[in-house]
Amino acid sequence: MSVLLNSEINEKFDQINQHIDKSGKITITTHVNPDGDAIGSVLGLYNYLRDLKKECKIIIHSPVPYNFKFLKGAENIIQYSNECDDFILSSDLIFVVDLNDIDRTKSPAEIVKKSPAKKIVIDHHINPKEFADIYLVDENATSAGELVYYLLKSNKNFVLNRPIAESLYSAIMTDTGIFRFPRTDGSIHRIIAELIDSGADPVMLFEKIYNTRPPRVMKLFGEAFAGLEILLDGKLCVMTLSKKEFQRAGAVNEDVEDIVEQSLTIEGVQVGILLSEILNSDEIRVSFRSKGDIFIRDIAVKFNGGGHQNAAGARFYNTPLEKVKMLVVEEIKKLFENN
């Protein structure tokens, strides 16, 4: 079983359910540049809380990625502005989902810290930073979506419906790499079977998330592939995207999702990285992916990033793209030398 269901985690389920029962106003947030697990998890939780007649808002820094806008509730996700402060400050409860460092929420971070609300973290990353009241964290979980599923199931009155099933299916599918990453065991497939039986359509969800891309996204893929470099005797693939290339494709920041994964399909490549300049900012986002026992998370941590062993990320500020590439490649070179 991916999640270790024991007395400690069951006690946390009870505590969280008690806080939900007592709360009238609830805020949900997640990390900057949310992926499928982040969006699916917050929407699964949001639809559940709405079914409980709670006043609830999802407030995040970034726009919703184009391929998750079809999920029920996505149209109600709010991109943070100062106008959100009153709701956050007056909330009874705040859920922080799919991250273990509040600063990764970016713009909502400071007001969330200031809020007197009880704060609950639902996450599956290692080394959480202390900022919340309750941590529902399990590093063995495949996804935050898996933990949300178990939390909801811990309520004996919970009825799984289609909107929640679709959201949680999307979360688990994307963070398991379409059910091919480690820890995708029988218990995960049993969860997925229940989600399908409750209305999640696997064909439709795959098509919407992976097979429905706007032309600008395919143009951006082309920009990234056109300049890719194969280094370290074929073990490393490096792709970069400058602001000029974003503009040429007519793309936006969120459109980089899934590009770096394609690097690992190249024969011999064990590590793939994508460095992308952020439009209207001095930031550079670095996405890391690796295969097998090549653990890339430690490299991301060296650059104040984080993530999973085989999928991680980091950000640089006020640093030229070529210098960032040089710094990252040097660290990856050491990684291979030490393996």
Side-chain angles (χ1 to χ4, degrees):
M1 180 173 288
S2 297
V3 172
L4 183 60
L5 295 176
N6 53 34
S7 58
E8 181 180 352
I9 202 166
N10 285 325
E11 183 179 338
K12 289 184 179 180
F13 289 154
D14 290 341
Q15 292 172 357
I16 294 169
N17 286 323
Q18 288 171 19
H19 282 300
I20 291 172
D21 288 342
K22 294 186 293 185
S23 298
K25 187 180 290 188
I26 300 173
T27 295
I28 305 172
T29 191
T30 188
H31 55 78
V32 63
N33 298 120
D35 56 7
D37 188 24
I39 294 295
S41 296
V42 299
L43 285 174
L45 187 58
Y46 170 83
N47 286 313
Y48 168 70
L49 294 171
R50 290 292 295 268
D51 287 346
L52 294 178
K53 309 303 181 186
K54 303 296 180 179
E55 184 181 1
C56 182
K57 291 183 180 180
I58 302 172
I59 300 171
I60 63 177
H61 173 84
S62 306
V64 177
Y66 67 88
N67 53 336
F68 296 102
K69 289 182 177 179
F70 72 95
L71 291 170
K72 184 176 180 182
E75 70 280 5
N76 297 325
I77 294 178
I78 300 167
Q79 196 169 352
Y80 174 80
S81 71
N82 292 337
E83 294 177 359
C84 301
D85 289 358
D86 286 345
F87 189 89
I88 295 172
L89 289 171
S90 61
S91 289
D92 304 301
L93 193 61
I94 297 176
F95 282 97
V96 181
V97 181
D98 197 35
L99 72 152
N100 57 17
D101 179 351
I102 190 61
D103 290 333
R104 289 201 63 223
T105 63
K106 205 166 183 179
S107 56
E110 292 307 314
I111 201 68
V112 168
K113 291 176 187 176
K114 290 178 183 177
S115 176
K118 289 290 183 181
K119 301 174 184 72
I120 297 173
V121 170
I122 301 177
D123 188 43
H124 63 128
H125 300 93
I126 62 177
N127 300 326
K129 293 189 177 181
E130 293 293 328
F131 66 89
D133 299 286
I134 299 175
Y135 288 82
L136 179 58
V137 176
D138 192 327
E139 299 162 17
N140 293 310
T142 59
S143 54
E146 182 184 355
L147 290 169
V148 172
Y149 166 84
Y150 283 119
L151 171 62
L152 272 49
K153 292 287 288 185
S154 71
N155 178 351
K156 63 182 180 181
N157 296 318
F158 169 63
V159 177
L160 182 59
N161 58 33
R162 181 175 177 177
I164 296 172
E166 289 183 340
S167 297
L168 296 183
Y169 185 103
S170 300
I172 296 170
M173 175 176 68
T174 54
D175 237 34
T176 57
I178 320 176
F179 314 113
R180 73 184 192 277
F181 290 165
R183 299 189 183 132
T184 308
D185 58 16
S187 67
I188 293 301
H189 285 289
R190 283 186 282 275
I191 292 172
I192 291 300
E194 183 179 354
L195 297 178
I196 292 171
D197 290 343
S198 300
D201 181 340
V203 176
M204 180 275 287
L205 291 168
F206 182 88
E207 286 295 315
K208 290 281 191 182
I209 293 171
Y210 290 107
N211 275 357
T212 309
R213 294 187 173 115
R216 69 172 192 273
V217 174
M218 299 312 297
K219 290 179 181 178
L220 192 65
F221 270 61
E223 296 284 355
F225 295 152
L228 70 81
E229 299 176 73
I230 304 297
L231 307 174
L232 306 183
D233 298 322
K235 297 175 183 176
L236 172 64
C237 175
V238 180
M239 293 185 284
T240 60
L241 285 170
S242 66
K243 291 179 181 178
K244 183 181 291 186
E245 288 165 324
F246 271 95
Q247 291 162 357
R248 196 156 56 214
V252 295
N253 293 322
E254 310 82 78
D255 292 339
V256 300
E257 293 300 326
D258 296 331
I259 293 179
V260 68
E261 277 79 8
Q262 304 307 312
S263 64
L264 297 182
T265 67
I266 300 171
E267 184 178 4
V269 169
Q270 297 178 47
V271 174
I273 59 174
L274 171 66
L275 302 92
S276 52
E277 293 185 331
I278 303 298
L279 295 168
N280 303 315
S281 174
D282 60 3
E283 298 176 47
I284 293 175
R285 176 184 179 187
V286 185
S287 299
F288 302 86
R289 297 293 185 272
S290 66
K291 288 182 177 178
D293 59 359
I294 304 296
F295 295 155
I296 203 68
R297 180 184 180 275
D298 293 342
I299 303 294
V301 169
K302 287 183 180 180
F303 296 115
N304 298 313
H308 306 290
Q309 299 288 27
N310 298 110
R315 287 175 181 264
F316 290 76
Y317 300 87
N318 298 309
T319 310
L321 187 60
E322 284 301 314
K323 183 173 182 180
V324 173
K325 182 169 75 170
M326 179 191 72
L327 292 169
V328 171
V329 170
E330 282 301 310
E331 288 298 327
I332 293 173
K333 184 178 180 182
K334 294 176 189 175
L335 177 67
F336 281 113
E337 289 172 350
N338 295 330
N339 272 281

